[in-house]
Amino acid sequence: MKIKELIKQDAGFQYVVDSLELMSAAGRRALLETTFSGDAEWLEAEWRRLGTAIEAVHEYKYKKPYIELRHCLMQLHDLRGTLSSLACRTPLNEVELFELKNLAQLRRTAAEAIAGLGMATMLPLPDTDEAFALLDPDGTGIANFYIYDSYDPRLAPLRRELKALQEHDGDAGRIAQLLAEQSEIQAAVCLRLTDALHAHHDALGKTLEQMAYADILFAKAELAIAWNLTKPTIGSRIEYRALVNPRLKHRNEATHLRYQPVDIALGAGVTLVTGANMAGKTVLLKSIGTAQTMVQCGFFAPAESTETVLFDGVATSIGDDQDEMNGLSSYAAEIIKISDIVRRCRTERLLVLIDEPARTTNPVEGKAIVQALTGIMEQAPSTTLITTHYGNLGGKCRRLRVKGFVEGMADVPLTPRNINLFIDYSLTEDASGEVPHEALRIADILGCDSELIETARKHINN
Amino acid sequence: MPFVDEILKHRSLSIVGLEKNTGKTVCLNYILRRLNEKQVAVGVTSIGVDGEQVDSVFTTAKPEVTLYEGSRFITSEQHYLKRQTVSVLEHVDSRRTALGPLVTARVLVRGKVLLSGAATTGVLRSHISQLLDAGCRLAIVDGALSRLSLASPTVTDCMVLATGAAVSANLKQLVAKTRFVHSLISLDEVSPTLRAALSPVGSGLWGVDKEGEPHDLGIASVFLIGNSGADLLRFGHTLFASGAVSDRLLKTLTPLGKDITLVARDFTKLFITPEAYNEFTRKGNRLLVLQRSRLVAVTLNPTSPQGFLLDSRAACDALSEALQTPVYDVMKI
């Protein structure tokens, strides 16, 4: 799946992509075309390149080669249209020829800058000097362009005559004739140049691609530095130390709310996560999903350290993102999604993240659905994380509990607005199979109607 | 013709027409010819991409602009490829228009070009600086159909106003309509101190107290003013409209009393009719601007696309008298 599709499915990942400061439209287009990769070799190489780019940014951030490279990338136009015309020898016009000359010149400056950063071997740019020479017949070395006199011996005398006539308001008929002749010669030159440049199509195309890639690589490096992202290692299980969800972390920081990174380790099979309401279970799933997508799209990870496993994809059913399912009840939308995941898991190795499955139906059938789901996913080669409020589900799967509400955790009076200061978002292993019963207590803290809460308590006691 | 010397006191010029077919392009060609005689390197662009060789409303021929050796121009790729001149491409913009990217070129042999340009004043401003940075002594913006925004003093330093029979074939009406726009262009400026205080203010309507401090009146847009019911004069009788000024605003203020001073950013923000404006000022109120546009000339096109022809001499005299400024017939200059 490509990044352009992934950002539609994961708002947290979209935030990551939107935070990249790309210099060029070509870079942005190439980024969106990047695919979620399960190729360990490619990812390792990409992370290595990213590591080198980060070192280069650290060393050269305000120095010449880096500033020059960014400046080049800023001027990079997305010439795919022109290049595909060139590929099938459709005659290029003067503006398109100018653009190719400009690309060839930018390549020169960019190649020097990249060499200055010590990354010439990592980011090789093909030689386009011959293409530049074709478009610079007078050897000016400047990226300006027109159909130079030297392209055709008829042009110089024609233009001399035109100039003389224009300056002395000469015969309009003759001027029109000269202009027509000129445009005919120019068209023939454009055709000839297109043919000659066709041989350099690959070099020019590769140059555009590589410069777009350099744009992506350095934008990722800048992001990794700004967000303290770290290089993942591929191992036998997922293990994050101090995993964060960048979108939520930044939103909390902006509103002066506390944000707590979490540690989590996940092996193959199913892990059930329980915890009180407001304990951050949904955020946990989203964080893990975004982090996995980042890692497999060649980003560094939003954690202090990351061990990861590679999957064929990330499949989620997290309640609040189903615009595309509009028109279906929440239960229908959810069950269709879950059934799709179950089917996919028969052929693919997925990271499955399911938030409170079957919570919108009756608890008897709901619990049965969760038990069935857990049983099936336990047999699949995928890694599955399911949050739930259902207790005593049986089965052998691993259970984690978010520690949740801790009275006296903060040194201030508890109010509905600062409740987040009293929640410990960290996870603990839980063998009991029980789920916390804190819904009424939290409702009470949130200032819910006392009659409602008291009556509910009576029902429990009865 | 004196106004070309006047233009040269500035770095950028806009040519705006009160209507289509008021002779903007003829006027531009005249200015370009005179500047060439003075060997002044100019840069020329337009706003928007409405330039076709044939005027699509009246199917009259749209005159092309004649550019001289050494001048620069910005136009769209499609118009560039149709140029009747020899020129060197110097820059291609990454932004695209319906007619391809905008390109900058330097003229090698005098000839005709079709102009198009940026659609927004923000980009237009960057094009003006680009032309000046490239070495042009003066940047000229050819106006487009009913676009006054380019004449804002925040975009171009000075302006030429083109009027003519296309506005009205009735001389009295032509004079009245032109005089009204002229009076808005010539509105007095506020004091430099007040300008400094008001320039950075955000959108909406502001009350200005005796010390010249602006206070937000809590009206985000003057178009919402009818519903507010708040005392608009609670900070004093000076008000500042940061965005557009409409008839509705004037009509709300007129009955509140006299001695109201309403300040607009510049005349391009005024979307008002002579009736509402006259009623407003007749009650003893004033309309001022933060910054006045420098009007260097008014030109007249005595022919209209429907074929009316005004008596050029009589029309120029009547307009000169009414505007107290020289008016030139574009067909004769």
Side-chain angles (χ1 to χ4, degrees):
Chain A
M1 196 180 272
K2 289 179 178 171
I3 286 186
K4 67 178 174 195
E5 288 135 13
L6 291 166
I7 54 176
K8 288 182 196 149
Q9 297 180 2
D10 180 349
F13 185 57
Q14 171 154 32
Y15 177 79
V16 174
V17 169
D18 289 348
S19 303
L20 283 177
E21 284 185 31
L22 291 163
M23 299 284 120
S24 67
R28 179 157 185 84
R29 191 247 315 147
L31 175 79
L32 294 178
E33 293 295 324
T34 309
T35 46
F36 181 96
S37 171
D39 179 347
E41 206 176 309
W42 181 80
L43 285 169
E44 300 266 20
E46 179 69 4
W47 295 330
R48 240 188 343 265
R49 288 187 288 263
L50 185 50
T52 312
I54 290 170
E55 280 169 31
V57 174
H58 275 308
E59 190 171 348
Y60 294 102
K61 174 107 187 169
Y62 301 106
K63 292 184 190 151
K64 202 178 160 207
Y66 188 60
I67 293 171
E68 271 200 352
L69 178 64
R70 305 260 289 184
H71 189 67
C72 274
L73 295 172
M74 248 186 260
Q75 296 174 65
L76 183 67
H77 290 185
D78 196 355
L79 302 182
R80 268 178 317 158
T82 304
L83 287 166
S84 59
S85 298
L86 183 61
C88 44
R89 295 178 193 248
T90 311
L92 302 178
N93 68 38
E94 279 174 73
V95 175
E96 292 170 312
L97 292 169
F98 170 89
E99 294 262 45
L100 290 181
K101 186 174 181 183
N102 202 37
L103 175 65
Q105 205 194 33
L106 279 179
R107 187 218 70 95
R108 266 187 210 175
T109 328
E112 276 169 29
I114 288 169
L117 295 172
M119 293 173 69
T121 343
M122 189 170 280
L123 287 170
L125 294 175
D127 191 344
T128 55
D129 283 352
E130 268 184 58
F132 186 87
L134 282 171
L135 296 164
D136 192 31
D138 299 345
T140 61
I142 307 169
N144 290 348
F145 183 75
Y146 78 117
I147 303 298
Y148 296 89
D149 288 354
S150 38
Y151 280 128
D152 192 299
R154 292 169 293 173
L155 280 172
L158 184 150
R159 285 169 174 167
R160 263 198 304 277
E161 188 186 347
L162 184 66
K163 188 168 174 165
L165 283 167
Q166 289 281 30
E167 275 166 15
H168 300 97
D169 292 320
D171 178 14
R174 180 66 185 150
I175 291 175
Q177 191 191 344
L178 290 173
L179 285 168
E181 274 174 36
Q182 177 188 238
S183 81
E184 216 164 278
I185 299 169
Q186 290 187 154
V189 173
C190 283
L191 194 64
R192 218 171 64 215
L193 283 174
T194 307
D195 269 347
L197 284 168
H198 180 76
H200 303 281
H201 170 266
D202 288 346
L204 290 164
K206 186 86 184 141
T207 297
L208 178 65
E209 215 174 275
Q210 278 289 77
M211 287 180 73
Y213 174 69
D215 193 7
I216 298 171
L217 188 66
F218 285 100
K220 278 181 180 171
E222 295 265 7
L223 191 77
I225 293 169
W227 289 4
N228 295 317
L229 307 179
T230 55
K231 185 175 173 178
T233 51
I234 299 173
S236 56
R237 59 174 198 163
I238 293 176
E239 183 165 5
Y240 291 108
R241 205 177 70 226
L243 171 69
V244 302
N245 179 323
R247 187 164 80 125
L248 189 70
K249 178 169 184 270
H250 296 149
R251 202 182 62 197
N252 279 14
E253 279 168 0
T255 50
H256 306 290
L257 283 173
R258 169 178 158 266
Y259 183 85
Q260 182 185 340
V262 292
D263 298 346
I264 188 169
L266 294 172
V270 179
T271 304
L272 284 174
V273 179
T274 58
N277 298 83
M278 298 187 72
K281 300 187 296 297
T282 309
V283 167
L284 176 71
L285 293 191
K286 287 183 176 174
S287 309
I288 291 171
T290 301
Q292 190 69 32
T293 306
M294 285 173 75
V295 162
Q296 293 201 246
C297 287
F299 287 76
F300 275 5
E304 275 176 21
S305 76
T306 304
E307 182 182 329
T308 193
V309 213
L310 303 182
F311 295 98
D312 298 331
V314 177
T316 59
S317 166
I318 300 177
D320 48 7
D321 62 351
Q322 3 211 298
D323 308 284
E324 77 280 5
M325 291 294 200
N326 268 342
L328 288 177
S329 77
S330 48
Y331 173 74
E334 185 196 24
I335 207 70
I336 288 170
K337 218 170 196 182
I338 290 175
S339 130
D340 181 51
I341 292 173
V342 168
R343 283 198 195 109
R344 278 179 69 191
C345 279
R346 295 198 178 112
T347 54
E348 292 174 77
R349 185 166 178 240
L350 300 175
L351 173 62
V352 177
L353 305 165
I354 300 177
D355 192 24
E356 295 182 33
R359 69 182 175 286
T360 53
T361 189
N362 69 73
V364 177
E365 285 176 290
K367 193 170 162 183
I369 290 173
V370 178
Q371 282 168 322
L373 178 65
T374 322
I376 292 170
M377 297 309 288
E378 192 66 42
Q379 304 304 316
S382 298
T383 294
T384 305
L385 192 61
I386 297 173
T387 65
T388 186
H389 284 294
Y390 293 124
N392 303 315
L393 291 169
K396 300 192 300 274
C397 62
R398 177 178 172 227
R399 287 178 175 77
L400 289 174
R401 184 167 52 80
V402 184
K403 284 186 183 157
F405 188 74
V406 182
E407 207 143 1
M409 190 171 135
D411 230 1
V412 287
L414 176 62
T415 68
R417 294 187 67 81
N418 70 8
I419 193 164
N420 130 303
L421 295 176
F422 294 83
I423 293 172
D424 183 351
Y425 294 94
S426 57
L427 295 155
T428 171
E429 297 283 343
D430 177 24
S432 72
E434 286 292 324
V435 291
H437 293 103
E438 291 182 309
L440 289 176
R441 180 132 163 271
I442 286 173
D444 196 16
I445 295 166
L446 290 171
C448 285
D449 185 80
S450 53
E451 189 187 343
L452 174 68
I453 294 170
E454 284 316 313
T455 319
R457 284 217 169 98
K458 277 180 201 152
H459 280 293
I460 292 174
N461 294 334
N462 290 339
Chain B
M1 208 58 68
F3 75 82
V4 171
D5 291 323
E6 187 58 33
I7 288 170
L8 281 176
K9 292 177 188 162
H10 304 277
R11 296 301 309 274
S12 56
L13 164 77
S14 56
I15 301 176
V16 294
L18 266 187
E19 273 293 339
K20 239 176 139 56
N21 294 295
T22 45
K24 289 189 306 282
T25 313
V26 184
C27 174
L28 174 58
N29 275 327
Y30 160 75
I31 293 169
L32 292 171
R33 193 171 74 234
R34 294 298 309 270
L35 290 172
N36 178 54
E37 285 161 14
K38 288 173 177 286
Q39 307 220 309
V40 176
V42 293
V44 190
T45 186
S46 179
I47 186 155
V49 284
D50 79 343
E52 319 84 22
Q53 251 159 327
V54 171
D55 179 321
S56 49
V57 180
F58 293 112
T59 66
T60 48
K62 183 185 159 96
E64 291 148 307
V65 175
T66 301
L67 295 178
Y68 299 82
E69 188 177 333
S71 51
R72 287 183 165 80
F73 62 104
I74 294 179
T75 192
S76 62
E77 176 183 28
Q78 292 307 311
H79 284 164
Y80 183 75
L81 297 174
K82 287 181 190 156
R83 74 202 185 283
Q84 296 175 40
T85 176
V86 186
S87 57
V88 184
L89 275 168
E90 291 188 330
H91 181 77
V92 175
D93 210 298
S94 55
R95 286 174 283 251
R96 294 190 72 85
T97 71
L99 299 176
L102 294 172
V103 307
T104 311
R106 181 165 43 86
V107 177
L108 295 180
V109 175
R110 174 201 297 193
K112 291 172 181 167
V113 299
L114 280 168
L115 291 177
S116 35
T120 64
T121 48
V123 179
L124 182 60
R125 260 198 293 263
S126 77
H127 284 161
I128 291 172
S129 349
Q130 191 195 320
L131 289 169
L132 295 177
D133 289 348
C136 300
R137 165 80 181 73
L138 175 77
I140 304 178
V141 185
D142 185 22
L145 175 69
S146 64
R147 294 281 279 270
L148 286 178
S149 57
L150 66 158
S152 163
T154 60
V155 182
T156 48
D157 300 339
C158 67
M159 66 181 284
V160 167
L161 178 68
T163 184
V167 176
S168 171
N170 175 317
L171 185 56
K172 265 195 178 161
Q173 275 187 25
L174 167 65
V175 171
K177 282 188 180 174
T178 310
R179 182 169 51 199
F180 177 61
V181 174
H182 180 261
S183 68
L184 298 185
I185 295 170
S186 325
L187 286 173
D188 286 335
E189 285 182 352
V190 296
S191 68
T193 337
L194 190 54
R195 185 198 304 168
L198 295 181
S199 292
V201 154
S203 64
L205 193 62
W206 298 70
V208 182
D209 67 20
K210 283 199 179 68
E211 278 71 45
E213 280 297 311
H215 302 271
D216 194 346
L217 290 171
I219 295 165
S221 156
V222 296
F223 298 101
L224 304 170
I225 196 162
N227 317 327
S228 92
D231 177 11
L232 297 174
L233 302 179
R234 60 184 185 272
F235 296 106
H237 279 227
T238 302
L239 296 176
F240 174 55
S242 186
V245 171
S246 63
D247 271 7
R248 191 156 174 194
L249 175 60
L250 294 187
K251 284 178 181 162
T252 311
L253 296 179
T254 304
L256 294 184
K258 50 186 182 180
D259 299 334
I260 294 175
T261 301
L262 176 63
V263 183
R265 283 202 180 269
D266 61 62
F267 92 95
T268 65
K269 299 285 188 289
L270 304 173
F271 298 91
I272 56 178
T273 57
E275 295 74 28
Y277 176 62
N278 291 338
E279 182 68 12
F280 179 71
T281 50
R282 209 166 49 79
K283 292 273 167 71
N285 303 309
R286 289 193 306 165
L287 185 57
L288 298 180
V289 288
L290 285 192
Q291 214 181 341
R292 182 162 63 190
S293 300
R294 306 296 156 198
L295 179 68
V296 292
V298 178
T299 63
L300 171 88
N301 178 7
T303 59
S304 87
Q306 293 93 342
F308 294 122
L309 181 63
L310 287 168
D311 176 346
S312 162
R313 170 68 85 51
C316 283
D317 287 350
L319 279 166
S320 301
E321 163 109 28
L323 309 181
Q324 288 297 302
T325 184
V327 176
Y328 307 94
D329 180 343
V330 283
M331 296 305 177
K332 292 182 179 166
I333 51 179

